[in-house]
Each structure stands twice: as C-alpha cells, then as structure tokens.
Amino acid sequence: MFAGHFGIPAAVKSKTPETPLWSLIVSTQLLDIVFIPFNLVGLENIESIGDGGYGGYGNDMIYAFYTHSLVGSLILSVLAALLAKKLWGRKSGIITGAVVFSHWILDFIVHRPDMPILPGNIGNLPLLGLGLWETVPGSVLLEALLLAIGCFFYFSYALKKEVFAHKGKGIMAGCAMTAFLLLSFYFGISL
C-alpha cells in the first residue's frame, strides 16, 4: 500500500478545513518516513521475495519491527497528535493522530504477516497482516477505491470552497489533488 494512504488525508481535509493539508499528507506517511532512518541504520529493512530478485507491487517482506509495530504506530500517532494539538488545536490533534494510525490499519490489511505487536518484536508474538498483497488485483482495487473516495470528498470540498469564496481556487485545488492522487497511484503500483 502506497497510494491508497493518500486517499485518507484528501477525504479528511474535506471535513477538517482547519488542519493543513500538508500535515495530513505527512501524517498518513509518518510511519514510512520514520522507517527511513531506521532502515538506514539497519534496525528495519525490506527484503524482495519476488521472482528474479525484483519485488514489484506487494512482493516485498517488510521488516519494520519498530515503526510498523502496533504499539510503535500508536506511540507515533500519539506524538503526532500532541504536536498537532499544540499547533492547530484539539480537533486537529485528534484527527492527525487518527490519520497517522490509519497507515497501520491499511498496512495490516495488505501486508503479509510481517507487522509485530510490540516494538522490536519483543516476546516473538505472532506477526500481523491479512496479506491482501497476495491478491494483486484486490490490493490495487482497494488502493483505487481509497483514492477515488479521497478525490470525491476533496473535490466536493474544493467546489464548495469555490462557490462560497468566488476566488477560482477551489477547482484548481480539486484538480491538483486529483492529479497528485492519480500520480501516487501510478507510481505506487509501479514500485
């Protein structure tokens, strides 16, 4: 799951205009953003399990035992919520924390069982993941559906903004978000 994550902030922005869109986009990818330094120092990694050494869409085992553990993602969600609350108020804090945690929920649906409950897989508890990636058409459909819902809600919001503001920015914002979501989908299934 890559592109599907972006449908969440697009839809959420339509209902919480006080929260900056950029912060929602960062929030939905926060677990993967924090994964990068963990990967660079060797605490987390990705292993290709695809044919010929090329992983392709959903053909990777992701060992993100800190950032993508259930408890680790909850900790990152709470930290992001506290920061957003301080910057934009209580409602934005709650929304931001929920958007961060939505990443884990969507990954739980698509990942093979490679997501631990506790950081570092302490206690070697069973790994979590429903494995929708095993059915590429199903996972692509889920991502497309999330993006379509995000586009619908954001474009509706942008058009309302256009009607009330009369500034010509609503349609441009809706088109820009739609283009962003479509490009993320293209690059997401090309990985």
Side-chain angles (χ1 to χ4, degrees):
M1 171 85 49
F2 173 73
H5 290 298
F6 293 118
I8 303 295
V12 167
K13 176 62 178 175
S14 73
K15 303 299 180 190
T16 58
E18 66 276 7
T19 307
L21 180 60
W22 68 265
S23 70
L24 295 170
I25 290 172
V26 169
S27 296
T28 199
Q29 288 296 331
L30 187 61
L31 301 184
D32 287 346
I33 291 168
V34 177
F35 170 84
I36 294 169
F38 278 64
N39 178 258
L40 291 173
V41 298
L43 290 174
E44 299 184 334
N45 68 338
I46 299 174
E47 178 183 309
S48 176
I49 59 172
D51 295 333
Y54 172 70
Y57 187 80
N59 286 324
D60 292 323
M61 282 298 281
I62 301 171
Y63 300 103
F65 283 2
Y66 295 94
T67 59
H68 286 63
S69 69
L70 177 59
V71 172
S73 66
L74 286 169
I75 291 169
L76 289 172
S77 298
V78 168
L79 292 174
L82 292 172
L83 179 61
K85 178 184 175 190
K86 186 173 186 165
L87 295 173
W88 304 297
R90 184 176 186 271
K91 181 179 177 185
S92 290
I94 292 168
I95 295 298
T96 298
V99 169
V100 171
F101 192 67
S102 75
H103 185 107
W104 188 90
I105 293 169
L106 294 175
D107 278 3
F108 171 72
I109 294 168
V110 297
H111 277 229
R112 290 169 188 80
D114 61 8
M115 298 168 55
I117 296 169
L118 299 174
N121 199 23
I122 295 171
N124 289 322
L125 298 171
L127 298 176
L128 306 174
L130 298 177
L132 185 59
W133 268 344
E134 297 290 336
T135 309
V136 173
S139 57
V140 170
L141 180 64
L142 175 62
E143 290 205 60
L145 183 62
L146 288 168
L147 290 174
I149 290 168
C151 281
F152 173 79
F153 279 105
Y154 189 83
F155 213 91
S156 297
Y157 158 75
L159 288 177
K160 284 182 196 172
K161 191 175 179 180
E162 170 75 13
V163 169
F164 294 115
H166 303 291
K167 294 182 180 176
K169 295 180 182 176
I171 292 174
M172 181 75 91
C175 290
M177 178 54 79
T178 301
F180 172 77
L181 293 174
L182 290 173
L183 284 172
S184 69
F185 181 68
Y186 171 75
F187 287 114
I189 62 172
S190 297
L191 294 176

